[in-house]
Amino acid sequence: MASSEEDGAGGGSLEEKEKGRKRRLGALATAWLIGYNIAMTAGWLVLAIAMARFYMQKGTYKGLYKTIQKTLKFFQTFAVLEVVHCAVGIVRTSVLVTGVQVSSRIFMVWFITHSIKQIQNEESVILYLVVWTVTEITRYSFYTFNLLNHLPYFIKWARYNFFIILYPVGVAGELLTIYAALPYVKKTGIFSLRLPNKYNVSFDYYYFLIIVMASYIPLFPQLYFHMLWQRRKVLHGEVTVEKDD
Amino acid sequence: MKHYEVEILDAKTRDKLCFLDKVEPNATIAEIKNLFTKSHPQWYPARQSLRLDPKGKSLKDEDVLQNLPVGTTATLYFRDLGAQISWVTVFLTEYAGPLLIYLLFYFRVPFIYGPKYDFISSKHSVVHLACICHSFHYIKRLLETIFVHRFSHGTMPLRNIFKNCTYYWGFAAWMAYYINHPLYTPPTYGDEQVKLALIIFLFCQLGNFSIHIALRNLRPAGSKTRKIPYPTKNPFTWLFLLVSCPNYTYEVGSWIGFAIMTQCLPVALFSLVGFIQMTIWAKGKHRSYLKEFRDYPPLRSPIVPFLL
């Protein structure tokens, strides 16, 4: 099993930087992160198995969401901790980027799927659930093995290749789900505030959702190309000469 | 008198961009920038950053060549700051917008509220008062920009005007829409609330203006001197005893007053965002003061007495 040391791709300096970073990370923080990532890997594995079992037993995905919703909500909400990890500095990622990613997941789970019950049996929900499950299992096991300094090449490969298909498919699932929710939002006026009221403000969740959907257009390509660039760097060791800035 | 030679290299690529010979030893960076523009007219002085070290700090326009740690052949590194726009232009544009935009909503110009309400004026007195206060605020800002403020920097990057105008114009439209809406709800505590809010607003407007005048008087015309501001005979300036940037303190106060007057959540949010931004600026200014002046009064905090 190729270990990360032998994996010349990704550049020796990148690996050294990562190891140096970990050396500076306290034993407690490392232990906490390993525990967190193992727990999250396990949680999403449970979710994957529950989904597979339901489909195998029932032959349909109708009612699947209802069965797994508690587990989904628990583990997806728990991921808010990742923002704290960045803020505290034990994970070297931008708080803003992590915040945006976690927020979009919380939004899909709580403010769309949970709140607008009529769309819970849509195919698009299953679509994004499957994508999220595969992505998260890959991602959290990648972090776990990385922290343990024993990263199997196939996990690294998965982390940096699966997204090529999963990312656009996941986006499709999310957008279709939001789109399906629109008529119910318009009818019930959920999360909306109309005039007159003593705060002299109004909020139309229906138009808000349309703006959210539109925002995928500029955001998705940026994130996608960023991941493609990361992939090239890590897997093919393309070292970009850093210009002195 | 020995003349200097100045070569200017690109800070990123180290390309030789310009060679100036027979430069006077007492030439300023500003004069060198003008000479550089002659050979590269697209890089007017305001967008030039010249430094002694490619990654170092920019030299000031007033710096004199012979006082710099350079030999008689000086090497300067050039960085393009991008298209620049004058502070005055930016301020005038970003303030004129809210003034006009608010009035469009106040007069209920067509296509905003529906044909039933076109050009109909509101029946609530507070709505008229709010328009007067909002307009007064921005007229004051425009006049201060033209007659009062003395800017340290002539220009800022061009992209700032788009960013700033989006912020000011966007928020102005958002709050004006609700305050002038046919379904606007006047403040819960009625005239008492409006009266109190007006007093706060006027007090803070006067305060803010007093500070602007005091700061102007610290700096002679055409100069870029920096001194510690102190309280003057004007009681509004006594806030300098407790705070480095009382102009920001009063500004937040004005908007809080306006929020109470209109009881409009978008106004409260605008006040909050403004407060966050001004706190960041005040902390920066406070830090500069502490760095520049050894004898800076220790009692002062950046923007909120004793707290922030």
Side-chain angles (χ1 to χ4, degrees):
Chain A
M1 185 156 63
S3 74
S4 53
E5 287 99 319
E6 278 158 43
D7 188 0
S13 58
L14 189 67
E15 316 269 298
E16 273 157 25
K17 261 189 242 144
E18 280 178 10
K19 292 223 199 78
R21 211 183 297 144
K22 262 170 259 140
R23 226 175 279 130
R24 267 175 264 135
L25 206 58
L28 185 63
T30 313
W32 164 258
L33 283 175
I34 292 172
Y36 173 79
N37 284 300
I38 288 177
M40 296 302 270
T41 311
W44 285 92
L45 265 166
V46 165
L47 207 55
I49 293 168
M51 286 169 67
R53 280 180 68 194
F54 183 95
Y55 188 74
M56 287 192 294
Q57 283 171 358
K58 302 277 172 71
T60 174
Y61 54 80
K62 301 255 189 263
L64 185 150
Y65 173 81
K66 224 178 191 156
T67 311
I68 54 98
Q69 60 165 335
K70 282 218 173 86
T71 313
L72 170 71
K73 284 170 187 168
F74 179 79
F75 284 99
Q76 186 59 84
T77 311
F78 209 68
V80 178
L81 265 181
E82 285 166 48
V83 184
V84 179
H85 293 164
C86 295
V88 164
I90 57 178
V91 171
R92 287 275 297 256
T93 312
S94 143
V95 175
L96 188 63
V97 172
T98 311
V100 168
Q101 287 169 345
V102 172
S103 303
S104 76
R105 290 292 186 87
I106 300 288
F107 171 73
M108 277 307 301
V109 169
W110 289 103
F111 290 94
I112 301 288
T113 321
H114 163 79
S115 306
I116 304 159
K117 306 220 184 307
Q118 299 91 328
I119 53 98
Q120 284 172 1
N121 283 318
E122 291 281 322
E123 293 88 341
S124 53
V125 173
I126 306 302
L127 193 60
Y128 80 71
L129 280 179
V130 168
V131 166
W132 286 10
T133 309
V134 176
T135 306
E136 298 303 66
I137 293 172
T138 314
R139 184 167 73 97
Y140 286 118
S141 48
F142 174 86
Y143 293 149
T144 309
F145 284 110
N146 222 15
L147 283 162
L148 294 168
N149 283 319
H150 287 286
L151 183 64
Y153 183 73
F154 85 88
I155 301 227
K156 184 176 186 170
W157 188 93
R159 161 125 173 94
Y160 287 104
N161 279 297
F162 281 1
F163 80 90
I164 297 175
I165 303 292
L166 289 183
Y167 209 7
V169 174
V171 164
E174 291 170 30
L175 282 176
L176 286 167
T177 308
I178 299 174
Y179 184 74
L182 286 178
Y184 302 106
V185 170
K186 195 164 204 158
K187 202 160 30 129
T188 62
I190 191 174
F191 297 134
S192 301
L193 185 60
R194 301 252 140 89
L195 288 178
N197 61 73
K198 66 177 171 177
Y199 302 109
N200 289 306
V201 70
S202 64
F203 182 73
D204 195 333
Y205 195 52
Y206 179 82
Y207 290 110
F208 175 72
L209 287 180
I210 292 180
I211 293 171
V212 167
M213 289 175 72
S215 73
Y216 273 73
I217 298 174
L219 289 178
F220 168 69
Q222 284 188 48
L223 291 167
Y224 194 62
F225 287 119
H226 175 74
M227 294 266 353
L228 281 172
W229 178 77
Q230 290 269 60
R231 172 181 181 272
R232 211 175 302 149
K233 220 173 49 159
V234 174
L235 292 187
H236 298 299
E238 240 156 271
V239 181
T240 38
V241 176
E242 276 182 9
K243 286 213 181 132
D244 290 316
D245 228 312
Chain B
M1 177 167 56
K2 196 126 191 271
H3 280 135
Y4 278 65
E5 293 177 332
V6 177
E7 63 165 3
I8 301 181
L9 310 179
D10 185 298
K12 280 199 217 163
T13 64
R14 307 285 204 272
D15 288 342
K16 212 183 254 201
L17 297 171
C18 178
F19 187 83
L20 304 165
D21 60 356
K22 299 232 193 356
V23 182
E24 307 276 323
N26 60 3
T28 59
I29 293 293
E31 288 161 1
I32 292 174
K33 283 184 179 175
N34 280 321
L35 292 170
F36 185 47
T37 303
K38 289 211 177 83
S39 59
H40 291 84
Q42 76 277 23
W43 287 327
Y44 42 87
R47 74 189 273 184
Q48 293 178 33
S49 163
L50 294 177
R51 348 37 210 269
L52 293 167
D53 178 87
K55 295 196 184 174
K57 274 183 68 177
S58 282
L59 294 168
K60 300 202 199 107
D61 280 359
E62 311 82 63
D63 288 341
V64 173
L65 185 57
Q66 66 184 353
N67 297 340
L68 296 172
V70 292
T72 49
T73 302
T75 302
L76 297 179
Y77 293 92
F78 162 77
R79 199 146 194 219
D80 182 14
L81 296 171
Q84 298 285 301
I85 186 168
S86 80
W87 274 64
V88 173
T89 310
V90 174
F91 271 35
L92 291 178
T93 319
E94 66 190 16
Y95 298 156
L99 181 62
L100 292 167
I101 290 170
Y102 192 102
L103 290 172
L104 291 175
F105 288 90
Y106 175 73
F107 288 115
R108 300 212 177 129
V109 148
F111 298 106
I112 300 178
Y113 295 117
K116 184 161 75 162
Y117 299 107
D118 291 348
F119 297 118
I120 306 287
S121 82
S122 167
K123 57 180 170 190
H124 305 293
S125 60
V126 67
V127 171
H128 306 296
L129 180 62
C131 182
I132 294 170
C133 290
H134 187 271
S135 306
F136 172 79
H137 179 80
Y138 280 103
I139 292 172
K140 170 180 158 291
R141 286 216 202 184
L142 287 165
L143 292 173
E144 283 172 341
T145 304
I146 300 169
F147 296 114
V148 177
H149 295 320
R150 292 201 166 120
F151 296 99
S152 301
H153 306 281
T155 67
M156 63 167 88
L158 182 64
R159 83 189 84 90
N160 278 17
I161 196 171
F162 301 108
K163 197 171 39 113
N164 294 10
C165 285
T166 305
Y167 172 76
Y168 278 106
W169 297 15
F171 260 114
W174 194 36
M175 61 175 93
Y177 174 78
Y178 289 110
I179 299 169
N180 299 292
H181 200 284
L183 295 175
Y184 171 78
T185 309
T188 310
Y189 298 102
D191 283 346
E192 304 244 308
Q193 185 172 336
V194 175
K195 234 181 279 169
L196 171 68
L198 182 61
I199 292 169
I200 296 173
F201 178 79
L202 286 174
F203 183 87
C204 291
Q205 290 289 281
L206 266 168
N208 177 267
F209 180 68
S210 306
I211 302 301
H212 287 160
I213 295 292
L215 289 172
R216 171 201 174 79
N217 290 336
L218 270 187
R219 170 178 282 178
S223 80
K224 289 187 184 173
T225 49
R226 284 208 292 271
K227 302 205 285 236
I228 303 177
Y230 282 107
T232 68
K233 290 208 193 79
N234 181 338
F236 285 107
T237 65
W238 297 351
L239 196 47
F240 269 122
L241 290 167
L242 299 175
V243 150
S244 289
C245 301
N247 49 318
Y248 293 149
T249 319
Y250 283 122
E251 181 68 19
V252 180
S254 297
W255 284 105
I256 291 175
F258 192 67
I260 296 171
M261 186 191 295
T262 56
Q263 200 168 296
C264 176
L265 191 61
V267 178
L269 286 171
F270 180 65
S271 314
L272 179 64
V273 176
F275 173 62
I276 292 171
Q277 175 64 86
M278 284 187 274
T279 303
I280 294 170
W281 289 338
K283 285 192 173 215
K285 191 112 199 92
H286 185 79
R287 224 173 296 132
S288 310
Y289 278 145
L290 288 172
K291 240 192 347 198
E292 189 164 351
F293 303 111
R294 296 270 135 215
D295 54 340
Y296 196 72
L299 185 63
R300 294 190 193 182
S301 21
I303 187 172
V304 178
F306 308 116
L307 294 177
L308 255 180

